[in-house]
Short mmCIF file of all heavy atoms in Angstrom, two decimals:
data_model
loop_
_atom_site.label_atom_id
_atom_site.label_comp_id
_atom_site.label_asym_id
_atom_site.label_seq_id
_atom_site.Cartn_x
_atom_site.Cartn_y
_atom_site.Cartn_z
N ALA A 174 -12.73 0.53 -0.95
CA ALA A 174 -13.91 -0.19 -1.55
C ALA A 174 -14.19 0.45 -2.92
O ALA A 174 -14.19 1.68 -3.09
CB ALA A 174 -15.11 0.04 -0.67
N PRO A 175 -14.36 -0.39 -3.98
CA PRO A 175 -14.63 0.14 -5.34
C PRO A 175 -15.76 1.13 -5.39
O PRO A 175 -15.70 2.12 -6.11
CB PRO A 175 -14.89 -1.12 -6.17
CG PRO A 175 -14.19 -2.23 -5.42
CD PRO A 175 -14.28 -1.85 -3.95
N SER A 176 -16.83 0.84 -4.61
CA SER A 176 -18.01 1.75 -4.64
C SER A 176 -17.65 3.11 -4.09
O SER A 176 -18.08 4.14 -4.60
CB SER A 176 -19.14 1.13 -3.84
OG SER A 176 -18.73 0.89 -2.49
N ALA A 177 -16.84 3.12 -3.02
CA ALA A 177 -16.43 4.39 -2.45
C ALA A 177 -15.53 5.15 -3.38
O ALA A 177 -15.69 6.41 -3.53
CB ALA A 177 -15.68 4.15 -1.13
N LEU A 178 -14.65 4.45 -4.11
CA LEU A 178 -13.75 5.16 -5.05
C LEU A 178 -14.58 5.65 -6.22
O LEU A 178 -14.33 6.80 -6.68
CB LEU A 178 -12.69 4.15 -5.56
CG LEU A 178 -11.70 4.75 -6.52
CD1 LEU A 178 -10.93 5.91 -5.91
CD2 LEU A 178 -10.73 3.68 -7.02
N ALA A 179 -15.58 4.87 -6.68
CA ALA A 179 -16.41 5.30 -7.82
C ALA A 179 -17.15 6.57 -7.44
O ALA A 179 -17.27 7.50 -8.29
CB ALA A 179 -17.38 4.23 -8.18
N GLU A 180 -17.65 6.64 -6.22
CA GLU A 180 -18.34 7.85 -5.75
C GLU A 180 -17.38 9.05 -5.77
O GLU A 180 -17.74 10.17 -6.17
CB GLU A 180 -18.95 7.61 -4.38
CG GLU A 180 -20.11 6.69 -4.39
CD GLU A 180 -20.60 6.38 -2.97
OE1 GLU A 180 -20.10 7.06 -2.02
OE2 GLU A 180 -21.48 5.55 -2.79
N ALA A 181 -16.18 8.80 -5.25
CA ALA A 181 -15.20 9.88 -5.24
C ALA A 181 -14.81 10.35 -6.61
O ALA A 181 -14.63 11.54 -6.86
CB ALA A 181 -13.96 9.42 -4.45
N LEU A 182 -14.71 9.41 -7.52
CA LEU A 182 -14.37 9.78 -8.92
C LEU A 182 -15.49 10.57 -9.57
O LEU A 182 -15.23 11.55 -10.27
CB LEU A 182 -14.04 8.51 -9.73
CG LEU A 182 -12.78 7.75 -9.36
CD1 LEU A 182 -12.69 6.45 -10.16
CD2 LEU A 182 -11.56 8.61 -9.54
N ALA A 183 -16.71 10.17 -9.28
CA ALA A 183 -17.90 10.92 -9.79
C ALA A 183 -17.87 12.38 -9.28
O ALA A 183 -18.11 13.30 -10.02
CB ALA A 183 -19.16 10.21 -9.44
N ALA A 184 -17.60 12.44 -7.98
CA ALA A 184 -17.58 13.80 -7.33
C ALA A 184 -16.45 14.64 -7.92
O ALA A 184 -16.54 15.87 -7.97
CB ALA A 184 -17.39 13.65 -5.86
N ALA A 185 -15.36 13.96 -8.37
CA ALA A 185 -14.25 14.70 -8.98
C ALA A 185 -14.45 15.04 -10.43
O ALA A 185 -13.61 15.66 -11.05
CB ALA A 185 -12.94 13.85 -8.84
N GLY A 186 -15.63 14.64 -10.99
CA GLY A 186 -15.95 15.01 -12.36
C GLY A 186 -15.47 14.05 -13.43
O GLY A 186 -15.48 14.33 -14.63
N VAL A 187 -15.04 12.85 -13.01
CA VAL A 187 -14.65 11.86 -14.01
C VAL A 187 -15.83 11.28 -14.68
O VAL A 187 -16.83 10.92 -14.06
CB VAL A 187 -13.84 10.69 -13.31
CG1 VAL A 187 -13.48 9.59 -14.30
CG2 VAL A 187 -12.61 11.22 -12.64
N ILE A 188 -15.75 11.22 -16.02
CA ILE A 188 -16.93 10.79 -16.83
C ILE A 188 -17.20 9.32 -16.59
O ILE A 188 -16.30 8.55 -16.28
CB ILE A 188 -16.74 11.08 -18.32
CG1 ILE A 188 -15.55 10.32 -18.88
CG2 ILE A 188 -16.56 12.59 -18.54
CD1 ILE A 188 -15.35 10.48 -20.38
N PRO A 189 -18.50 8.90 -16.73
CA PRO A 189 -18.91 7.48 -16.39
C PRO A 189 -18.08 6.42 -17.13
O PRO A 189 -17.72 5.41 -16.54
CB PRO A 189 -20.36 7.48 -16.80
CG PRO A 189 -20.84 8.88 -16.63
CD PRO A 189 -19.67 9.71 -17.04
N SER A 190 -17.78 6.65 -18.38
CA SER A 190 -17.07 5.63 -19.17
C SER A 190 -15.64 5.36 -18.76
O SER A 190 -14.97 4.41 -19.17
CB SER A 190 -17.06 6.01 -20.68
OG SER A 190 -16.38 7.22 -20.90
N GLN A 191 -15.08 6.24 -17.87
CA GLN A 191 -13.73 6.12 -17.39
C GLN A 191 -13.65 5.63 -15.93
O GLN A 191 -12.60 5.25 -15.49
CB GLN A 191 -12.97 7.45 -17.52
CG GLN A 191 -12.77 7.90 -18.98
CD GLN A 191 -12.09 9.27 -19.06
OE1 GLN A 191 -11.93 9.94 -18.03
NE2 GLN A 191 -11.70 9.64 -20.26
N ARG A 192 -14.79 5.67 -15.23
CA ARG A 192 -14.71 5.45 -13.79
C ARG A 192 -14.31 4.01 -13.44
O ARG A 192 -13.44 3.82 -12.55
CB ARG A 192 -16.09 5.76 -13.15
CG ARG A 192 -16.40 7.25 -13.12
CD ARG A 192 -17.83 7.48 -12.58
NE ARG A 192 -18.28 8.80 -12.97
CZ ARG A 192 -19.54 9.18 -12.93
NH1 ARG A 192 -20.47 8.35 -12.51
NH2 ARG A 192 -19.86 10.44 -13.29
N TYR A 193 -14.90 3.00 -14.09
CA TYR A 193 -14.55 1.64 -13.69
C TYR A 193 -13.04 1.33 -14.06
O TYR A 193 -12.35 0.77 -13.26
CB TYR A 193 -15.44 0.61 -14.41
CG TYR A 193 -15.14 -0.82 -13.95
CD1 TYR A 193 -15.68 -1.29 -12.79
CD2 TYR A 193 -14.24 -1.60 -14.69
CE1 TYR A 193 -15.38 -2.58 -12.37
CE2 TYR A 193 -13.93 -2.86 -14.21
CZ TYR A 193 -14.48 -3.37 -13.08
OH TYR A 193 -14.15 -4.60 -12.63
N LEU A 194 -12.63 1.80 -15.21
CA LEU A 194 -11.24 1.59 -15.60
C LEU A 194 -10.31 2.25 -14.58
O LEU A 194 -9.31 1.61 -14.13
CB LEU A 194 -10.97 2.20 -16.98
CG LEU A 194 -9.54 2.18 -17.49
CD1 LEU A 194 -8.98 0.73 -17.50
CD2 LEU A 194 -9.39 2.87 -18.84
N LEU A 195 -10.58 3.45 -14.19
CA LEU A 195 -9.75 4.15 -13.22
C LEU A 195 -9.72 3.36 -11.87
O LEU A 195 -8.68 3.34 -11.20
CB LEU A 195 -10.21 5.57 -12.99
CG LEU A 195 -9.72 6.57 -14.01
CD1 LEU A 195 -10.43 7.92 -13.84
CD2 LEU A 195 -8.19 6.78 -13.90
N SER A 196 -10.83 2.82 -11.49
CA SER A 196 -10.92 2.10 -10.25
C SER A 196 -10.04 0.87 -10.21
O SER A 196 -9.70 0.33 -9.18
CB SER A 196 -12.36 1.74 -9.84
OG SER A 196 -12.87 0.72 -10.67
N THR A 197 -9.72 0.33 -11.44
CA THR A 197 -8.84 -0.82 -11.55
C THR A 197 -7.38 -0.45 -11.59
O THR A 197 -6.50 -1.26 -11.35
CB THR A 197 -9.14 -1.68 -12.80
OG1 THR A 197 -8.79 -0.94 -13.97
CG2 THR A 197 -10.64 -2.05 -12.85
N LEU A 198 -7.14 0.84 -11.90
CA LEU A 198 -5.77 1.30 -12.05
C LEU A 198 -5.17 2.00 -10.81
O LEU A 198 -3.95 1.93 -10.59
CB LEU A 198 -5.68 2.32 -13.25
CG LEU A 198 -6.08 1.78 -14.62
CD1 LEU A 198 -6.04 2.93 -15.63
CD2 LEU A 198 -5.17 0.63 -15.08
N THR A 199 -6.06 2.59 -10.03
CA THR A 199 -5.57 3.29 -8.86
C THR A 199 -6.65 3.39 -7.79
O THR A 199 -7.86 3.25 -8.11
CB THR A 199 -5.12 4.73 -9.22
OG1 THR A 199 -4.62 5.41 -8.05
CG2 THR A 199 -6.26 5.52 -9.85
N GLU A 200 -6.25 3.57 -6.55
CA GLU A 200 -7.24 3.81 -5.46
C GLU A 200 -7.11 5.22 -4.95
O GLU A 200 -7.67 5.59 -3.91
CB GLU A 200 -6.95 2.81 -4.32
CG GLU A 200 -7.21 1.39 -4.81
CD GLU A 200 -6.93 0.37 -3.75
OE1 GLU A 200 -6.55 0.77 -2.61
OE2 GLU A 200 -7.10 -0.86 -4.00
N SER A 201 -6.43 6.06 -5.69
CA SER A 201 -6.19 7.48 -5.33
C SER A 201 -6.94 8.39 -6.30
O SER A 201 -6.68 8.34 -7.50
CB SER A 201 -4.73 7.78 -5.34
OG SER A 201 -4.49 9.14 -5.33
N VAL A 202 -7.80 9.23 -5.76
CA VAL A 202 -8.52 10.20 -6.62
C VAL A 202 -7.51 11.14 -7.21
O VAL A 202 -7.61 11.53 -8.37
CB VAL A 202 -9.55 10.99 -5.78
CG1 VAL A 202 -10.19 12.06 -6.62
CG2 VAL A 202 -10.67 10.00 -5.27
N GLN A 203 -6.45 11.52 -6.43
CA GLN A 203 -5.45 12.42 -6.96
C GLN A 203 -4.72 11.82 -8.15
O GLN A 203 -4.49 12.47 -9.18
CB GLN A 203 -4.45 12.75 -5.86
CG GLN A 203 -3.37 13.76 -6.27
CD GLN A 203 -2.42 14.11 -5.17
OE1 GLN A 203 -2.55 13.58 -4.03
NE2 GLN A 203 -1.49 15.00 -5.41
N ALA A 204 -4.35 10.51 -8.01
CA ALA A 204 -3.72 9.82 -9.17
C ALA A 204 -4.63 9.68 -10.34
O ALA A 204 -4.18 9.79 -11.50
CB ALA A 204 -3.20 8.46 -8.69
N ALA A 205 -5.95 9.47 -10.08
CA ALA A 205 -6.91 9.39 -11.16
C ALA A 205 -7.04 10.70 -11.92
O ALA A 205 -7.07 10.71 -13.14
CB ALA A 205 -8.28 9.00 -10.57
N LYS A 206 -7.01 11.79 -11.18
CA LYS A 206 -7.05 13.10 -11.85
C LYS A 206 -5.82 13.35 -12.72
O LYS A 206 -5.93 13.91 -13.81
CB LYS A 206 -7.16 14.25 -10.79
CG LYS A 206 -8.49 14.32 -10.10
CD LYS A 206 -8.51 15.42 -9.07
CE LYS A 206 -9.87 15.61 -8.45
NZ LYS A 206 -9.87 16.74 -7.43
N ALA A 207 -4.66 12.87 -12.23
CA ALA A 207 -3.45 13.01 -13.00
C ALA A 207 -3.53 12.20 -14.29
O ALA A 207 -3.05 12.68 -15.38
CB ALA A 207 -2.24 12.53 -12.19
N LEU A 208 -4.12 11.05 -14.28
CA LEU A 208 -4.28 10.20 -15.48
C LEU A 208 -5.23 10.80 -16.46
O LEU A 208 -5.09 10.62 -17.68
CB LEU A 208 -4.69 8.78 -15.10
CG LEU A 208 -3.66 7.92 -14.39
CD1 LEU A 208 -4.24 6.59 -13.98
CD2 LEU A 208 -2.45 7.67 -15.30
N THR A 209 -6.27 11.52 -15.99
CA THR A 209 -7.24 12.09 -16.86
C THR A 209 -6.83 13.46 -17.43
O THR A 209 -7.43 13.96 -18.34
CB THR A 209 -8.63 12.23 -16.18
OG1 THR A 209 -8.47 13.03 -14.97
CG2 THR A 209 -9.18 10.86 -15.79
N ALA A 210 -5.75 14.02 -16.83
CA ALA A 210 -5.32 15.31 -17.28
C ALA A 210 -4.88 15.32 -18.76
O ALA A 210 -4.30 14.32 -19.27
CB ALA A 210 -4.14 15.80 -16.43
N GLU A 211 -5.24 16.41 -19.46
CA GLU A 211 -4.93 16.55 -20.88
C GLU A 211 -5.36 15.35 -21.72
O GLU A 211 -4.73 15.02 -22.72
CB GLU A 211 -3.40 16.80 -21.05
CG GLU A 211 -2.86 18.02 -20.33
CD GLU A 211 -1.39 18.24 -20.50
OE1 GLU A 211 -0.72 17.35 -21.06
OE2 GLU A 211 -0.91 19.27 -20.09
N ASP A 212 -6.44 14.72 -21.29
CA ASP A 212 -7.09 13.64 -22.06
C ASP A 212 -6.17 12.41 -22.23
O ASP A 212 -6.40 11.63 -23.16
CB ASP A 212 -7.57 14.13 -23.44
CG ASP A 212 -8.78 15.03 -23.35
OD1 ASP A 212 -9.54 14.89 -22.38
OD2 ASP A 212 -9.03 15.82 -24.26
N TRP A 213 -5.18 12.26 -21.31
CA TRP A 213 -4.29 11.10 -21.50
C TRP A 213 -5.07 9.81 -21.40
O TRP A 213 -4.97 8.92 -22.26
CB TRP A 213 -3.19 11.12 -20.42
CG TRP A 213 -2.17 10.02 -20.68
CD1 TRP A 213 -1.06 10.06 -21.41
CD2 TRP A 213 -2.25 8.65 -20.22
NE1 TRP A 213 -0.42 8.85 -21.47
CE2 TRP A 213 -1.14 7.98 -20.73
CE3 TRP A 213 -3.16 7.95 -19.43
CZ2 TRP A 213 -0.88 6.60 -20.51
CZ3 TRP A 213 -2.91 6.59 -19.18
CH2 TRP A 213 -1.83 5.95 -19.71
N LEU A 214 -5.90 9.66 -20.37
CA LEU A 214 -6.63 8.39 -20.20
C LEU A 214 -7.59 8.20 -21.35
O LEU A 214 -7.75 7.03 -21.85
CB LEU A 214 -7.39 8.42 -18.86
CG LEU A 214 -8.05 7.08 -18.56
CD1 LEU A 214 -6.99 6.05 -18.06
CD2 LEU A 214 -9.14 7.17 -17.51
N LYS A 215 -8.30 9.23 -21.78
CA LYS A 215 -9.22 9.10 -22.90
C LYS A 215 -8.49 8.58 -24.13
O LYS A 215 -8.97 7.63 -24.77
CB LYS A 215 -9.81 10.48 -23.22
CG LYS A 215 -10.72 10.50 -24.42
CD LYS A 215 -11.21 11.90 -24.76
CE LYS A 215 -12.02 11.95 -26.04
NZ LYS A 215 -12.44 13.33 -26.38
N ASN A 216 -7.31 9.11 -24.45
CA ASN A 216 -6.57 8.69 -25.61
C ASN A 216 -6.09 7.26 -25.43
O ASN A 216 -6.07 6.49 -26.38
CB ASN A 216 -5.43 9.65 -25.86
CG ASN A 216 -5.91 11.07 -26.25
OD1 ASN A 216 -6.99 11.21 -26.83
ND2 ASN A 216 -5.12 12.08 -25.93
N ALA A 217 -5.62 6.95 -24.23
CA ALA A 217 -5.13 5.61 -23.96
C ALA A 217 -6.22 4.58 -24.03
O ALA A 217 -6.06 3.45 -24.58
CB ALA A 217 -4.43 5.57 -22.58
N GLN A 218 -7.40 4.91 -23.54
CA GLN A 218 -8.53 4.02 -23.56
C GLN A 218 -8.92 3.71 -25.01
O GLN A 218 -9.21 2.56 -25.36
CB GLN A 218 -9.72 4.60 -22.79
CG GLN A 218 -10.83 3.63 -22.45
CD GLN A 218 -11.90 4.29 -21.62
OE1 GLN A 218 -12.25 5.46 -21.79
NE2 GLN A 218 -12.50 3.54 -20.71
N VAL A 219 -8.91 4.75 -25.83
CA VAL A 219 -9.26 4.55 -27.27
C VAL A 219 -8.19 3.70 -27.94
O VAL A 219 -8.47 2.77 -28.65
CB VAL A 219 -9.37 5.92 -27.94
CG1 VAL A 219 -9.45 5.75 -29.48
CG2 VAL A 219 -10.59 6.65 -27.45
N SER A 220 -6.94 4.00 -27.71
CA SER A 220 -5.87 3.31 -28.37
C SER A 220 -5.76 1.84 -27.99
O SER A 220 -5.59 0.96 -28.84
CB SER A 220 -4.50 4.00 -28.10
OG SER A 220 -4.48 5.29 -28.66
#
Side-chain angles (χ1 to χ4, degrees):
S176 58
L178 182 61
E180 290 176 6
L182 293 175
V187 175
I188 61 175
S190 62
Q191 295 177 350
R192 289 175 199 164
Y193 183 83
L194 174 59
L195 277 170
S196 72
T197 69
L198 299 176
T199 180
E200 296 179 0
S201 165
V202 175
Q203 183 178 2
K206 287 181 178 179
L208 289 175
T209 57
E211 299 181 354
D212 287 335
W213 186 90
L214 187 77
K215 175 184 176 182
N216 295 331
Q218 194 177 35
V219 169
S220 295

